[in-house]
Amino acid sequence: GQQLNQSPQSMFIQEGEDVSMNCTSSSIFNTWLWYKQDPGEGPVLLIALYKAGELTSNGRLTAQFGITRKDSFLNISASIPSDVGIYFCAGLPPDSNYQLIWGAGTKLIIKP
Amino acid sequence: NAGVTQTPKFQVLKTGQSMTLQCAQDMNHNSMYWYRQDPGMGLRLIYYSASEGTTDKGEVPNGYNVSRLNKREFSLRLESAAPSQTSVYFCASSRSGGTVEQFFGPGTRLTVL
């Protein structure tokens, strides 16, 4: 079946650093979504991308829908302590209206 | 608006027991979903309901049943719980299948002994 490879698996960063993570696949997707999950909570939608090449920002977060439709990137600028959590990408295959394919997540940890 | 609510928040079952996880949304969304989340893995879809009156299997439906009670409520039932069903269960909703932006509840943490 289709899979999403999300990397890195975890990141240790200093407060104030910029962060980059990505999701890649061998298959194309029509939509890319980025979610953040805090401990003990459900995922919260950060950014939705619907068009190849699209670049969308939400505050300090910027995400891009790869031009090949097989990847997506999320950048966080000037990280702060509340950015800690797990970030998930999810993609919608062309043959589905409902079933998202999910990455395994990138865990963001701020170094003390 | 409460968004998506789930009950219970925590549950411990013995192997073979049954239980129903409840989910409700107040956003007037048409589509609802049940996922499970296991450590180190992404979310896996158990069942979904595209609209009131319809349900379909997702990636991992075995051992589960669902009921779309009305537009607001979508329940997940474990008829005979197994240790492999120990997981965190999330309910989600979206406006319709054409818009896949899904909104999640806080989850139910289930342990099967």
Coordinates of all heavy atoms in Angstrom, one line a residue, chain B residues 47-51 53-57 66-68 74:
Chain B
Y47 N -12.7 2.8 10.7 CA -14.0 3.0 10.0 C -14.2 4.5 9.7 O -13.7 5.3 10.5 CB -15.2 2.4 10.8 CG -15.5 1.0 10.6 CD1 -14.9 0.0 11.5 CD2 -16.3 0.5 9.6 CE1 -15.2 -1.3 11.3 CE2 -16.6 -0.8 9.5 CZ -16.0 -1.8 10.3 OH -16.3 -3.1 10.2
Y48 N -15.0 4.7 8.7 CA -15.4 6.1 8.5 C -16.9 6.1 8.1 O -17.4 5.1 7.6 CB -14.5 6.8 7.6 CG -14.6 6.3 6.1 CD1 -15.4 6.9 5.2 CD2 -13.7 5.3 5.7 CE1 -15.4 6.4 3.9 CE2 -13.7 4.8 4.4 CZ -14.5 5.4 3.5 OH -14.5 4.9 2.2
S49 N -17.5 7.3 8.2 CA -18.9 7.5 7.8 C -18.9 8.7 6.9 O -18.7 9.8 7.4 CB -19.8 7.6 9.0 OG -21.1 8.0 8.6
A50 N -19.1 8.5 5.6 CA -19.1 9.7 4.7 C -20.2 10.6 5.0 O -20.1 11.8 4.9 CB -19.1 9.2 3.3
S51 N -21.4 10.1 5.4 CA -22.5 10.9 5.7 C -23.5 10.0 6.6 O -23.3 8.8 6.7 CB -23.3 11.3 4.4 OG -23.7 10.1 3.7
G53 N -26.0 7.7 7.9 CA -26.6 6.5 7.3 C -25.6 5.6 6.5 O -26.0 4.5 6.1
T54 N -24.4 6.0 6.4 CA -23.4 5.2 5.7 C -22.1 5.0 6.5 O -21.7 5.9 7.3 CB -22.9 5.9 4.4 OG1 -22.2 7.0 4.6 CG2 -24.1 6.2 3.5
T55 N -21.6 3.8 6.4 CA -20.3 3.5 7.1 C -19.5 2.6 6.2 O -20.0 1.8 5.4 CB -20.5 2.8 8.4 OG1 -21.1 1.5 8.2 CG2 -21.2 3.6 9.4
D56 N -18.2 2.8 6.2 CA -17.3 2.0 5.4 C -16.0 1.6 6.2 O -15.6 2.3 7.1 CB -16.8 2.8 4.2 CG -17.9 2.8 3.1 OD1 -18.2 1.7 2.5 OD2 -18.5 3.9 2.9
K57 N -15.4 0.5 5.8 CA -14.2 0.0 6.5 C -13.0 0.8 6.0 O -12.9 1.3 4.9 CB -14.0 -1.5 6.1 CG -15.0 -2.4 6.6 CD -14.8 -3.9 6.2 CE -15.8 -4.8 6.8 NZ -15.6 -6.2 6.3
V66 N -19.1 -0.2 14.0 CA -19.4 1.2 14.2 C -20.9 1.4 14.0 O -21.6 0.6 13.3 CB -18.6 2.2 13.3 CG1 -17.2 2.2 13.7 CG2 -18.8 1.8 11.8
S67 N -21.4 2.5 14.6 CA -22.8 3.0 14.3 C -22.8 4.5 14.2 O -22.3 5.2 15.0 CB -23.7 2.6 15.5 OG -23.8 1.2 15.6
R68 N -23.4 4.9 13.0 CA -23.6 6.4 12.9 C -25.0 6.6 13.3 O -26.0 6.4 12.6 CB -23.4 6.8 11.4 CG -23.5 8.3 11.2 CD -22.3 9.0 11.6 NE -22.5 10.5 11.5 CZ -22.0 11.2 10.5 NH1 -21.4 10.5 9.4 NH2 -22.2 12.5 10.4
F74 N -21.1 9.2 16.4 CA -20.5 8.1 15.7 C -19.8 7.2 16.7 O -18.9 7.7 17.3 CB -19.5 8.6 14.6 CG -19.0 7.6 13.7 CD1 -19.7 6.5 13.2 CD2 -17.6 7.7 13.2 CE1 -19.2 5.6 12.3 CE2 -17.1 6.7 12.3 CZ -17.9 5.7 11.9

